Amino acid sequence: MTRCDETQEMLNAFLEGLLSQDEKRRVLEHLGTCQHCRAALEELKRAAQLVQGLDDVEPPPWFTQKVMSRVRQEAERKERNLLSRLFYPLHVKVPIQALASVLIVVLALYVYRSVEPEMKMVQTPPKAAHEDLAISKSEAQQQYDKAGAGAPSAGSRSVPEQRRDKATGTMGEAPRTGVAGIQEKEGATPPAGTAAEPSKPEQKGAAADRQAQEMKAAAPPPIQGESPQAQKAPPKVLARGEAESRVSVETQENAKEARSGFSPQPAGKAGQSSAKKAEVAGFRLHVNDVTTATGEIRELLGELGARGITAESRDRAVVITGELAARQMDELSRRLKLLGRLEEKEAQPSSTEGPVPISIEVSNRP
Amino acid sequence: MDEDYEAVSACQKGDVDAFEPLVEKYQKKMLNVVYRMTGDYEEACEIVQEAFLSAYRAIKKFRGEARFATWLYGITVNHARNRIKQTQSRLRHEIPSLDDPVETEDGQLTRDPPSGEAPIEEQLERKEMQMKVQECINGLEEEYREVLVLRDIQGFSYEEIHDILKIPDGTVKSRLFRARDAMKHCLKRVMGDL
């Protein structure tokens, strides 16, 4: 490398003042003797002057406004994007829609399942009646005759019991004075020997058959064994002895109370036909829904083999009457307790066999 | 502390209006850097707008490691580089036309508001000379052009250039000296004598 080349390479640094003292001295010594390198230095200075002397350009007058306009649009777009990210973008929207669909289906199933039992309850009574109608009359007659054979004789009952029987037989039927009402009363409280009325809509043939067999048996089987539903009942079911202890012996006061609660029996054919003296097992049940409970009780009575089931509306209550085998009383009491708050206002008959008139007053909880 | 700290903080908190003084403050220098890099005034205006927008979008990420101005110039130079690359790529695929306007300061003069004064001969000569200088700048390789513009035209320090371009000081100097030598040769060629 010649001295000129070396010097010219250092000229930029020399102009910038970046050379060491030694380098600077050598460059200066060479420049003092070399016209060519001095010219190169001058050209370099001139070029730098030309570059540095370039005029500045001014931004257009609208420039700031235009930039800020775009910046503000950007800021608004950011806000919109934030909102749209929350609600509209596809990657969020699709899962939300799917989740919503699943929730709707689950909710629909839940509502359907929660309403289904109530719908069944509402539909049950007509269904039961329909089934009852389907039973052949002769079979019903036969079963009822069998059951009635084991009934205690009416003559063995006391006078108050006879009055009670009359009252029970006309529960809630005070306004009725016509023949139809009388006929219904006859059906509701059939005499032991002649009660095989073919028009017992609530009686189930199978239940009657079972009851008849039980009547024939010397010792009744355990209650739990009689009804499949009883086995499925919650473990809160009271023991038989306990249930019995809750049923007080019927007194005359109770009988009077019952009469005052029920309408007096009109004079006529019905009074004559219900000459049988019978103890009446009375229950008062407080429930949340009288209609549903009535349906369930009717079903229960049918299941337990009750006969002559009638239901009459009185004020805000429904009175269900019928005849039930005495041995089934415990089960009836236990099952009624499952439906609501039960008051056993009438004593359980002392006899453990034969049909016993029952009355269940179903009313709303106070 | 960064002289723009308050305005930048306000912007970071979502105050859009706080960005305006920053635009006012830096637009001219940014425009001149870009204009000297591209040689096209209109394009330079667009690039600077884009650079401001990018800066606003990214301002929450600005942590103050460098001065805000340096950070902003860095964004600007990057935008200018990208635009130049796009333009060069487009030009390679297009047949150059003799009718294409030459983007010089003459063009910029026509865009300036009319001053009402008749251009004098000196102004014309000056503009012509500046046009030639710009042509030589345009002819530099991009890495030399950036350093020359930042150092010799805009007067940034070596440290600032190092921060803006993210290259070592030695590289800045060597590129600058090469750029100056190239400019000297170019200007001698286009102007006859310096």
Side-chain angles (χ1 to χ4, degrees):
Chain A
M1 183 180 282
T2 64
R3 189 71 186 264
C4 284
D5 291 338
E6 186 184 358
T7 301
Q8 287 183 22
E9 273 194 1
M10 290 194 290
L11 285 178
N12 277 300
F14 175 76
L15 286 174
E16 287 283 306
L18 298 174
L19 293 179
S20 64
Q21 287 295 326
D22 185 49
E23 289 172 329
K24 189 177 177 182
R25 182 183 55 77
R26 280 194 287 143
V27 169
L28 285 172
E29 281 178 5
H30 180 75
L31 287 174
T33 58
C34 181
Q35 178 66 30
H36 179 71
C37 285
R38 279 203 303 274
L41 179 64
E42 288 306 313
E43 288 170 355
L44 205 56
K45 283 181 181 175
R46 176 68 183 144
Q49 284 173 354
L50 286 171
V51 171
Q52 289 166 2
L54 288 171
D55 291 335
D56 278 348
V57 292
E58 293 293 328
W62 44 261
F63 195 76
T64 304
Q65 283 70 32
K66 189 162 187 180
V67 169
M68 286 310 296
S69 168
R70 292 186 66 179
V71 166
R72 288 191 177 96
Q73 284 177 2
E74 176 71 17
E76 287 174 12
R77 197 176 61 81
K78 260 187 181 176
E79 286 178 12
R80 278 201 306 273
N81 277 356
L82 189 67
L83 286 175
S84 60
R85 270 183 200 174
L86 287 175
F87 296 106
Y88 296 111
L90 203 63
H91 67 282
V92 173
K93 191 178 177 183
V94 167
I96 284 178
Q97 285 176 337
L99 187 65
S101 303
V102 170
L103 280 176
I104 288 169
V105 170
V106 169
L107 191 65
L109 281 173
Y110 176 76
V111 168
Y112 175 73
R113 291 199 172 189
S114 64
V115 170
E116 192 179 29
E118 293 176 15
M119 293 179 69
K120 280 183 179 173
M121 286 175 198
V122 171
Q123 290 169 353
T124 298
K127 188 181 177 185
H130 180 72
E131 286 176 356
D132 290 342
L133 288 174
I135 299 169
S136 67
K137 290 181 179 179
S138 60
E139 187 183 359
Q141 177 91 32
Q142 186 182 4
Q143 300 302 334
Y144 192 79
D145 286 342
K146 286 179 182 176
S153 65
S156 64
R157 300 190 179 184
S158 62
V159 174
E161 285 172 351
Q162 286 182 21
R163 290 208 303 268
R164 181 73 187 90
D165 190 22
K166 290 176 183 174
T168 308
T170 57
M171 283 189 304
E173 294 182 6
R176 297 193 184 184
T177 54
V179 176
I182 293 167
Q183 287 174 344
E184 191 172 335
K185 279 179 279 182
E186 283 178 349
T189 57
T194 60
E197 301 287 341
S199 60
K200 294 184 182 305
E202 292 83 3
Q203 183 180 10
K204 287 185 179 179
D209 187 21
R210 189 172 64 237
Q211 186 183 7
Q213 289 173 358
E214 288 164 2
M215 296 277 185
K216 288 178 180 176
I223 290 176
Q224 282 77 6
E226 291 177 1
S227 170
Q229 281 79 4
Q231 292 176 345
K232 293 176 184 176
K236 280 176 68 177
V237 173
L238 296 170
R240 182 170 183 172
E242 188 181 350
E244 284 177 348
S245 68
R246 287 176 175 245
V247 181
S248 60
V249 177
E250 181 185 3
T251 62
Q252 286 196 354
E253 285 181 5
N254 286 342
K256 286 175 184 174
E257 184 186 330
R259 276 196 301 275
S260 64
F262 302 141
S263 56
Q265 180 185 11
K269 189 179 176 182
Q272 294 167 4
S273 65
S274 61
K276 183 191 74 172
K277 293 177 182 177
E279 295 173 300
V280 176
F283 300 93
R284 183 174 287 152
L285 187 64
H286 300 284
V287 297
N288 290 327
D289 183 357
V290 172
T291 307
T292 305
T294 302
E296 290 181 351
I297 291 168
R298 289 173 70 109
E299 192 177 10
L300 170 63
L301 290 173
E303 186 184 306
L304 294 176
R307 294 168 302 175
I309 302 169
T310 63
E312 294 293 333
S313 297
R314 285 186 72 250
D315 297 331
R316 281 173 290 182
V318 174
V319 178
I320 303 168
T321 59
E323 272 193 343
L324 183 66
R327 293 184 302 100
Q328 299 281 43
M329 283 301 164
D330 291 343
E331 179 67 6
L332 175 64
S333 174
R334 186 183 67 77
R335 298 283 290 273
L336 287 178
K337 283 173 184 171
L338 300 176
L339 298 175
R341 188 165 64 80
L342 181 65
E343 292 177 17
E344 294 168 354
K345 63 181 182 180
E346 303 294 341
Q348 186 178 9
S350 54
S351 62
T352 56
E353 290 187 356
V356 174
I358 57 168
S359 73
I360 304 166
E361 183 181 341
V362 186
S363 60
N364 281 316
R365 286 181 191 272
Chain B
M1 183 188 284
D2 196 327
E3 56 190 310
D4 302 314
Y5 176 79
E6 286 185 12
V8 171
S9 295
C11 291
Q12 288 176 329
K13 290 170 186 168
D15 183 359
V16 184
D17 294 334
F19 197 65
E20 188 164 346
L22 297 172
V23 175
E24 291 275 9
K25 184 176 178 181
Y26 292 108
Q27 60 180 338
K28 184 175 178 181
K29 198 155 189 174
M30 286 166 67
L31 181 65
N32 277 279
V33 168
V34 177
Y35 173 60
R36 294 303 172 190
M37 284 178 69
T38 61
D40 186 326
Y41 182 83
E42 296 287 350
E43 196 169 30
C45 287
E46 287 179 18
I47 291 168
V48 172
Q49 284 184 57
E50 294 297 329
F52 273 125
L53 266 182
S54 293
Y56 181 78
R57 287 184 193 126
I59 201 164
K60 287 188 177 176
K61 296 175 188 169
F62 174 67
R63 295 283 173 255
E65 287 95 355
R67 287 171 55 233
F68 174 73
T70 308
W71 180 74
L72 188 59
Y73 292 131
I75 292 172
T76 308
V77 170
N78 276 333
H79 272 268
R81 279 180 189 164
N82 293 337
R83 182 65 69 93
I84 289 165
K85 282 177 187 168
Q86 289 171 8
T87 306
Q88 287 173 346
S89 174
R90 192 173 64 241
L91 288 175
R92 278 191 210 108
H93 294 90
E94 289 176 0
I95 300 169
S97 169
L98 291 174
D99 297 329
D100 284 347
V102 177
E103 296 293 347
T104 65
E105 284 195 19
D106 284 337
Q108 197 266 322
L109 266 180
T110 60
R111 288 184 289 267
D112 280 342
S115 64
E117 294 177 9
I120 59 174
E121 192 174 346
E122 282 185 18
Q123 282 178 325
L124 278 174
E125 286 177 0
R126 180 180 172 81
K127 288 298 172 189
E128 188 178 357
M129 186 187 65
Q130 292 201 354
M131 181 187 72
K132 289 174 179 172
V133 174
Q134 181 65 50
E135 283 176 359
C136 285
I137 294 172
N138 292 347
L140 292 174
E141 286 184 34
E142 188 182 305
E143 56 186 17
Y144 297 152
R145 196 187 321 163
E146 291 170 1
V147 179
L148 184 83
V149 169
L150 292 174
R151 175 66 184 167
D152 286 348
I153 300 176
Q154 297 301 325
F156 286 101
S157 68
Y158 288 115
E159 187 183 356
E160 285 173 319
I161 297 169
H162 154 78
D163 289 339
I164 291 169
L165 299 180
K166 305 283 190 297
I167 53 174
D169 279 355
T171 307
V172 175
K173 287 168 188 165
S174 65
R175 285 185 184 178
L176 178 66
F177 300 159
R178 288 181 184 276
R180 284 177 180 170
D181 287 336
M183 281 299 293
K184 186 186 76 174
H185 293 299
C186 177
L187 288 171
K188 274 179 74 174
R189 190 176 66 248
V190 299
M191 297 175 75
D193 193 17
L194 285 178

